[in-house]
Amino acid sequence: MSNRLGVYSIAVAASMFVLLLRYSLIPWLCTDTPLLIVVIAPIFASLYGTRPALLATALRLVGSIYFLMKPIYSFDVYGLANILRLILFGLIGISIGLIGGYRLKNKKALETSMQRQQIAVDAADLGLFEWDLREDTTIWENDRMYELFGHTRADGSINLRQFLDHYAYKEGLREFEKSLQQALRSGEKYNSTCRIIRKSDQQLRLTEFGGRFEYDSDKSPTKMIGVARDIT
């Protein structure tokens, strides 16, 4: 309840601010200038959803009639031009509100989906990583990835060359590299296992790797989004 009240308060405050700004410009812009400036209020309010934007639109319509349209300080509306301006502003405000609500809804849905995915990743004890093939650099997305390799955050991640030279156990390494190259050529989902030497305690751990490659317009692989799991 308090959160909703705060959102509506923001819509009211934005409307009042824009109204005062537009009113202060009357000596230079006069009252006959199109109501473009007042559209700022519903645009800002739309960041919080449809209803705040519609509230801002309604407040701006009332404020524009009273302060910006002749006769000033009156709710009387004269002339077809003024009526059309108000209708246009109302339609713009409603459209902005609907778009803002749709955007906010999609944002919340995306956040919910990411939270669920993170729960699934944590439950499966998966490490997440991203590998840039062109630069041979990696980004380790979560703490589990560092734990798998016995790294701290200060140690950072490793690239493929470092992995092959210092972490991958030599026995069975040829099969690992072969499956990687095959996945690169075919574009199929990659899945393979490899024994690695964990840095923190030098223990040998059997690790499963999986992921998919991304390709550019020339069908050349550019990136791999992958997961890793200790199956020792």
Side-chain angles (χ1 to χ4, degrees):
M1 181 65 181
S2 59
N3 183 53
R4 181 176 298 181
L5 182 62
V7 167
Y8 288 129
S9 298
I10 291 173
V12 173
S15 300
M16 293 178 61
F17 173 77
V18 175
L19 175 62
L20 289 173
L21 175 63
R22 179 62 183 84
Y23 184 76
S24 67
L25 295 176
I26 286 181
W28 296 277
L29 299 181
C30 301
T31 58
D32 296 327
T33 303
L35 304 176
L36 295 179
I37 294 179
V38 297
V39 177
I40 297 174
I43 289 177
F44 180 77
S46 71
L47 297 174
Y48 301 92
T50 298
R51 291 182 180 179
L54 294 181
L55 174 61
T57 299
L59 292 174
R60 296 306 303 117
L61 281 171
V62 173
S64 297
I65 292 172
Y66 192 79
F67 291 103
L68 302 178
M69 286 188 170
K70 296 179 180 179
I72 295 179
Y73 311 130
S74 169
F75 289 108
D76 296 327
V77 179
Y78 297 102
L80 179 61
N82 282 337
I83 294 174
L84 291 176
R85 288 166 67 192
L86 291 173
I87 292 174
L88 178 61
F89 174 74
L91 292 175
I92 292 174
I94 291 172
S95 299
I96 291 172
L98 293 175
I99 293 172
Y102 180 76
R103 181 199 61 82
L104 186 62
K105 181 180 179 180
N106 285 345
K107 179 182 177 182
K108 289 182 177 179
L110 179 60
E111 289 175 349
T112 300
S113 176
M114 291 180 66
Q115 290 173 357
R116 290 174 177 172
Q117 291 179 20
Q118 187 59 51
I119 291 173
V121 167
D122 292 341
D125 213 20
L126 296 176
L128 303 179
F129 67 92
E130 179 181 309
W131 173 32
D132 185 324
L133 278 72
R134 291 174 173 173
E135 301 293 332
D136 191 20
T137 57
T138 60
I139 299 174
W140 288 356
E141 303 283 358
N142 62 353
D143 291 336
R144 182 55 181 154
M145 199 67 197
Y146 289 87
E147 294 170 2
L148 290 173
F149 281 84
H151 274 221
T152 64
R153 288 278 181 175
D155 292 330
S157 62
I158 59 173
N159 58 24
L160 179 62
R161 190 70 268 157
Q162 291 170 319
F163 172 78
L164 296 176
D165 290 345
H166 304 293
Y167 292 83
Y169 191 63
K170 301 310 177 183
E171 184 178 335
L173 183 58
R174 180 170 297 181
E175 288 75 13
F176 176 83
E177 292 184 275
K178 182 179 179 181
S179 62
L180 179 61
Q181 294 301 322
Q182 182 178 348
L184 281 168
R185 290 192 299 268
S186 65
E188 297 176 353
K189 182 178 178 180
Y190 173 69
N191 187 268
S192 184
T193 58
C194 178
R195 284 185 289 179
I196 67 171
I197 303 171
R198 192 163 56 191
K199 178 182 177 181
S200 58
D201 55 13
Q202 297 299 300
Q203 281 195 14
L204 200 60
R205 312 296 297 182
L206 182 60
T207 307
E208 181 180 23
F209 295 91
R212 288 188 180 276
F213 293 99
E214 295 182 1
Y215 297 81
D216 60 17
S217 57
D218 297 325
K219 306 296 184 181
S220 299
T222 59
K223 184 187 299 183
M224 178 189 191
I225 308 298
V227 297
R229 183 166 63 103
D230 189 335
I231 58 173
T232 303

